[in-house]
Amino acid sequence: MKSLLSSSTLGAAVSAMIVLPAFAQQFQQQTSTRFPTQSEYTNYNAVFDADGDGDLDIFFANGQGYSSQGAALQQRLYINNGAGFFADQSSTRLAGITGWCRGVDWGDVDGDGDMDLIVTQDFNKLPKLLINDGLGFFTDQAGTRLPPLTLSSMRGMFADVDNDGDLDIVLNHSGAVSRFGSGQPKIYFNNGLGVFTDMTATNLPAGNIAEQMDVIFCDVDADFDLDVFIGTRASSPNQTRLWKNNGAGVFTNQTGFPADQSSYAIDTADIDGDGDMDAISVNGGSSNQELLARNNNGLGTSWTNISSSIVPNPTTDDNDCRFLDYDNDGDLDLLVGSLGSTERIYSNNGAGAFAQAAGIIPSVSDATLAIDVADYDGDGRIDFITGQGESGAFQNRIYMNITGPIDDKAPKVLGTEQVVPASPDGAQVYIVRTRVIDSYSAHHGFHAASMELHYTVNGCDQYAPIAMKWMGNSVWRGVLPAMPNGALVEYHVEATDRAGNTGLGAVMSFTAPGTAPTLGDFNQDGQVDGDDLGTLLGFWGDAFNEGDLNCDGAVDGDDLGTLLGNWS
């Protein structure tokens, strides 16, 4: 575009732009019709279903002041009407919730099935823990649920770091003045009811880190637990940290990640299709370029700086990015949110090399601090929003994907945990975790419509699938119930995205401990006798239960014959 405008064909170029229809670009800015008009300093966004109606709403973390504290701002919740048109309902759903907020993440902290929020504050304030009443109305319960520690924090992110089935929190903390100081990051463990304990002293590497800008969980070594990046704006020796999880929520520093500087955000994705998670440090490369790092061995111990794979990779003030498959070719492309210029989108060649794509998104010069991708209107196409702060009119924006292909790519189940049958927990249940990615990537992974664990016992497919819980980023967790002694259990994951595409994981299996009882010995007393006959008759006519010995869907004469044939 720059060469056209500098040539003698300027007038023709302008005329051509005037007559182009609005839908010529794949993404069209529709802020004026879909978003409320506002003028508030937004630092970050969260996209989630606040009110449980099945569509995606938006929370904007607002906080006035760059390096010094300004006025407290109302936090904003935009409610989706299902078609991607949003109403500001902050005054009722976030009544009285103001602050100097820099970050937000969502998850069910108290196990009641709705989505709660952790909202971080700058300038040495207590973070906010916003508890959902189930209808999308929030109250700040940080005073009774969080440790009473004031922080200067850019981000707090949820993940089940100790594999106990609830969401814990890791938070930035840059000291007692502002996010531009130096401090010790924090980790808070959940008791299962949404009450948190500070475990920093025993579970995180000790030492202050300067100017922390981001936290992101990611399973970098494919062991199904959540490791964590702590992103920092400071230069060496305070560059971004990668901390590895031992599986119990104890983290140690992992060397080998390329040194970055001036980083404002970290994001992760499988950019080259090899099944492991690579990473980008926004603004973290040389002279404010993006730093792109390839996970060489899938273990997170060896990384290569491949920043030259982003072409062009300009020296501009960028603040956030997301990966998305905008052209539906099966690989993840790159969307960059820029404070110093305009948003940019890059096409992936499938091997992790990115070339800027022209004419895909509008060129809007604004002060983007945050960006999020999701399908906001339910048409199967991935849209994006931006959060505006620091300068300009502070009007947050929405860009709708109008002409792009509809997502028909199933989620990829990268791996499913192998159950070790000799080591179930005390209740004899079996934990299964899985790693799943889809056509876009964010701190939270992707918005799954469902994540199910399917299983059979001794070949009987008579059990309802188990809903798996989100653990953090791209990891989900399911729990198989107690199994009969010696039973052969086969299981697999079925992941469905919001476009209706379903991906299947590999079929895994294990044999439950113990000796399998004789068929028909329901009470496992070593005999098939009158007690077992009474049990069978109690199930008579029912569908799919333990009395259905031949797995045909009914307890009937065939099962009675089997039991009598094994009579002791």
Side-chain angles (χ1 to χ4, degrees):
M1 181 62 72
K2 188 173 291 185
S3 61
L4 277 174
L5 294 177
S6 62
S7 72
S8 60
T9 59
L10 174 62
V14 172
S15 298
M17 287 189 290
I18 291 173
V19 300
L20 281 175
F23 55 81
Q25 289 178 313
Q26 181 170 333
F27 292 87
Q28 178 181 338
Q29 187 194 173
Q30 297 188 354
T31 304
S32 62
T33 57
R34 293 180 180 270
F35 266 15
T37 300
Q38 42 80 187
S39 181
E40 289 177 333
Y41 192 133
T42 291
N43 289 283
Y44 207 60
N45 323 306
V47 177
F48 70 115
D49 185 3
D51 51 3
D53 63 354
D55 55 43
L56 296 176
D57 311 301
I58 307 171
F59 183 100
F60 292 105
N62 293 338
Q64 188 69 45
Y66 178 69
S67 58
S68 59
Q69 181 176 320
L73 296 181
Q74 170 72 52
Q75 305 310 296
R76 295 292 170 188
L77 183 59
Y78 287 6
I79 297 297
N80 193 339
N81 73 346
F85 294 87
F86 293 84
D88 181 2
Q89 298 186 11
S90 310
S91 62
T92 56
R93 295 180 182 272
L94 300 174
I97 298 176
T98 64
W100 299 266
C101 300
R102 302 293 190 191
V104 57
D105 191 29
W106 53 276
D108 179 11
V109 302
D110 49 5
D112 63 356
D114 55 45
M115 297 300 111
D116 311 299
L117 299 166
I118 179 70
V119 185
T120 53
Q121 295 202 86
D122 201 353
F123 309 118
N124 206 31
K125 309 293 183 186
L126 184 69
K128 297 179 182 297
L129 187 64
L130 305 186
I131 301 299
N132 194 335
D133 70 349
L135 300 174
F137 294 82
F138 295 83
T139 56
D140 184 7
Q141 299 183 17
T144 57
R145 292 177 180 269
L146 291 184
L149 302 176
T150 55
L151 310 174
S152 298
S153 184
M154 276 291 286
R155 300 281 185 270
M157 291 287 163
F158 289 124
D160 180 5
V161 300
D162 53 356
N163 195 24
D164 65 352
D166 55 46
L167 294 177
D168 312 299
I169 311 173
V170 169
L171 304 102
N172 291 144
H173 174 46
S174 295
V177 179
S178 79
R179 68 194 190 280
F180 296 123
S182 180
Q184 168 74 57
K186 302 294 182 181
I187 186 168
Y188 297 163
F189 273 30
N190 192 338
N191 70 349
L193 301 175
V195 178
F196 294 83
T197 301
D198 183 8
M199 300 292 290
T200 304
T202 56
N203 288 62
L204 290 187
N208 290 352
I209 301 175
E211 300 186 48
Q212 299 161 45
M213 295 289 118
D214 206 4
V215 170
I216 181 170
F217 287 100
C218 178
D219 181 11
V220 299
D221 50 3
D223 62 356
F224 302 102
D225 60 45
L226 276 301
D227 313 298
V228 68
F229 286 95
I230 305 293
T232 170
R233 198 184 77 141
S235 300
S236 181
N238 284 306
Q239 67 266 10
T240 289
R241 306 307 205 264
L242 170 58
W243 290 342
K244 297 282 285 292
N245 190 344
N246 73 347
V250 178
F251 292 84
T252 55
N253 189 57
Q254 173 62 58
T255 60
F257 189 76
D260 58 356
Q261 57 186 346
S262 300
S263 177
Y264 283 101
I266 307 293
D267 202 4
T268 61
D270 179 11
I271 63 171
D272 48 10
D274 63 355
D276 58 41
M277 303 302 282
D278 311 294
I280 189 169
S281 173
V282 177
N283 222 54
S286 176
S287 302
N288 295 348
Q289 293 180 315
E290 274 43 282
L291 186 151
L292 189 64
R294 173 173 283 129
N295 189 345
N296 291 326
N297 57 8
L299 300 176
T301 59
S302 172
W303 300 79
T304 299
N305 185 338
I306 58 169
S307 301
S308 60
S309 296
I310 301 176
V311 180
N313 194 346
T315 57
T316 59
D317 187 359
D318 300 326
N319 273 242
D320 205 3
C321 79
R322 292 292 182 264
F323 291 95
L324 75 162
D325 186 5
Y326 80 89
D327 50 8
N328 201 41
D329 64 353
D331 55 46
L332 290 175
D333 311 301
L334 176 63
L335 176 64
V336 176
S338 183
L339 172 66
S341 182
T342 63
E343 274 64 82
R344 306 187 303 279
I345 195 163
Y346 295 84
S347 179
N348 189 343
N349 72 348
F354 296 87
Q356 188 170 355
I360 304 298
I361 58 176
S363 295
V364 178
S365 294
D366 52 17
T368 297
L369 295 183
I371 199 162
D372 257 314
V373 293
D375 179 7
Y376 297 108
D377 57 355
D379 67 351
R381 299 179 176 93
I382 304 303
D383 316 299
F384 71 93
I385 62 169
T386 64
Q388 303 295 315
E390 290 193 21
S391 63
F394 298 154
Q395 174 63 58
N396 299 330
R397 303 183 190 276
I398 185 166
Y399 297 82
M400 304 304 294
N401 188 342
I402 303 301
T403 64
I406 293 174
D407 177 18
D408 62 0
K409 300 292 189 296
K412 298 176 182 178
V413 182
L414 297 179
T416 304
E417 188 172 20
Q418 174 64 59
V419 168
V420 180
S423 304
D425 71 13
Q428 296 293 298
V429 299
Y430 302 88
I431 295 170
V432 177
R433 295 172 291 183
T434 187
R435 300 165 54 238
V436 185
I437 60 175
D438 197 29
S439 58
Y440 61 94
S441 173
H443 278 60
H444 208 88
F446 73 101
H447 296 90
S450 66
M451 195 72 61
E452 294 181 340
L453 183 59
H454 292 247
Y455 68 102
T456 66
V457 180
N458 292 325
C460 294
D461 184 15
Q462 62 187 41
Y463 305 99
I466 294 168
M468 305 186 78
K469 294 178 63 176
W470 177 78
M471 284 186 64
N473 199 298
S474 300
V475 178
W476 279 260
R477 180 183 192 268
V479 181
L480 291 169
M483 296 295 170
N485 289 348
L488 173 63
V489 182
E490 294 182 303
Y491 60 97
H492 71 276
V493 171
E494 296 191 8
T496 302
D497 62 23
R498 293 176 66 89
N501 307 301
T502 299
L504 304 180
V507 176
M508 316 285 286
S509 66
F510 68 94
T511 301
T515 302
T518 303
L519 202 59
D521 182 10
F522 295 113
N523 59 5
Q524 299 187 33
D525 64 354
Q527 300 182 80
V528 179
D529 53 21
D531 291 336
D532 303 301
L533 176 60
T535 299
L536 179 70
L537 295 177
F539 289 132
W540 197 267
D542 290 347
F544 292 132
N545 57 48
E546 61 182 303
D548 183 14
L549 300 179
N550 62 357
C551 299
D552 66 354
V555 180
D556 53 22
D558 292 335
D559 304 301
L560 177 60
T562 299
L563 184 145
L564 294 176
N566 292 328
W567 196 268
S568 298

